[in-house]
Amino acid sequence: MEELHNFKNEALALITEAKSKQELEDLKVKFLGRKGEVNKFLQNLTQLPPEEKKRFGQLLNQTKQALEQAIARKESSLVSQQETKLDWFDITRPGKKPPQGNLHLITQAIEEISTIFEKIGFIRVRYPEVEWDWYAFESLNMPKDHPARDEWETFFVDTQENKKWGKMVLTPHTSSGQIREMQRLKKPPIRMVNIAKCHRRQHDVTHTVMFHQFEGLVVDKNISIAHLKGTTDYFASQFYGPQRKTRLRPFNFKFTEPSFEIDINCPLCLGKGCRTCKSGWHELGGAGMVHPNVLKAVNIDPEKYSGFAFGWGVERSYLMKEDLKIDDLRTIYSNDLRFLKQF
Ligand code: PHE
């Protein structure tokens, strides 16, 4: 009985390891052929006492069946392997090129913007896209119910209010990242660029509900408007070309004082004024010197430190660069490959 068991196991192992049809055929003859091993066991059967005959006969039958099945299975797998091999080895066949994707145009723009600022020592960060009211507004010098908040057409998340931080919002601008970064580093020097998704309740040809902003923040000793202007000019020349520069136009934000809108000179007349731009300038985005109350909100002493900040839309900045004349900004997020493949 034991011998038969061992034979069965060894034979099955040899069958599964067979490398070719010929090898398998030889094994088949060796095990199941007329003078094969199975038949040899069968001859032994006659010499056994009747009570053992039955058990031995059953095991022999099982063994035979198991070997037959294993051989059949191996046969078909060798056949299919051979077929696919032939297929693969047609070296004259031209290769199949996998379709190649490309990064979304806004992802490309974000990478370019990060690189520009990283070159002058800004650290790229990315802060939450779902945020507390305190970070999005209150710490930025916009107390509850302040009318200035209206400009940020905010989405509120329908969830429980936090006792300390207030309601939960979808970040309406990246300025909350100023607060997060100052809290993270605790004290200056700070030089960050925060690029993240923003959401506002606006949806038309020039707005998508979701868009991106990049926010710059520098806080240190003796930081002045000259540093702000130097930085925005640097960005303009790097992102738009050597002849482009910015100008500051007085504006009002609660979290900066003084505040500005940053304009960039027209690519055609470079600021003189022409038929397309009229004034010579195009609006880029907001900026200003960090308001003392904002510094105080994160325990930075406004007597010792000062800073500047700016926050612009990525989509808007990018479209101005390429002069794409896209009629509907929503096309960018429509997932139409015919459009997206062009970038
Ligand atoms: N957060 C402002 C906006 O969304 C832009 C801004 C950023 C203004 C930083 C001043 C300083 O319009």
Side-chain angles (χ1 to χ4, degrees), residues 2 7-8 14 29 63 74 171 218 227 241-242 249 258 262 268 313-314 340:
E2 204 180 311
F7 162 71
K8 182 183 169 190
L14 287 171
V29 173
T63 307
K74 188 70 193 182
T171 317
V218 171
H227 295 110
R249 185 162 39 81
I262 307 287
L268 301 176
V314 173
L340 295 175

Side-chain angles (χ1 to χ4, degrees), residues 10-18 24 27 31 66-67 70-71 74:
E10 272 164 35
L12 285 174
L14 287 171
I15 291 166
T16 24
E17 278 160 26
L24 190 65
L27 288 174
F31 301 144
L67 296 186
I71 287 169
K74 188 70 193 182

Side-chain angles (χ1 to χ4, degrees), residues 255-308:
F255 38 94
T256 43
E257 182 59 38
S259 302
F260 310 101
E261 291 236 277
I262 307 287
D263 294 335
I264 182 162
N265 59 346
C266 164
L268 301 176
C269 64
L270 298 176
K272 284 194 205 75
C274 64
R275 264 199 301 175
T276 53
C277 65
K278 307 215 165 64
S279 72
W281 299 86
H282 297 288
E283 181 196 320
L284 263 183
M289 301 307 290
V290 181
H291 197 289
N293 287 352
V294 174
L295 295 175
K296 279 186 211 155
V298 286
N299 300 317
I300 292 178
D301 183 358
E303 299 294 330
K304 254 166 87 183
Y305 295 105
S306 55
F308 68 80

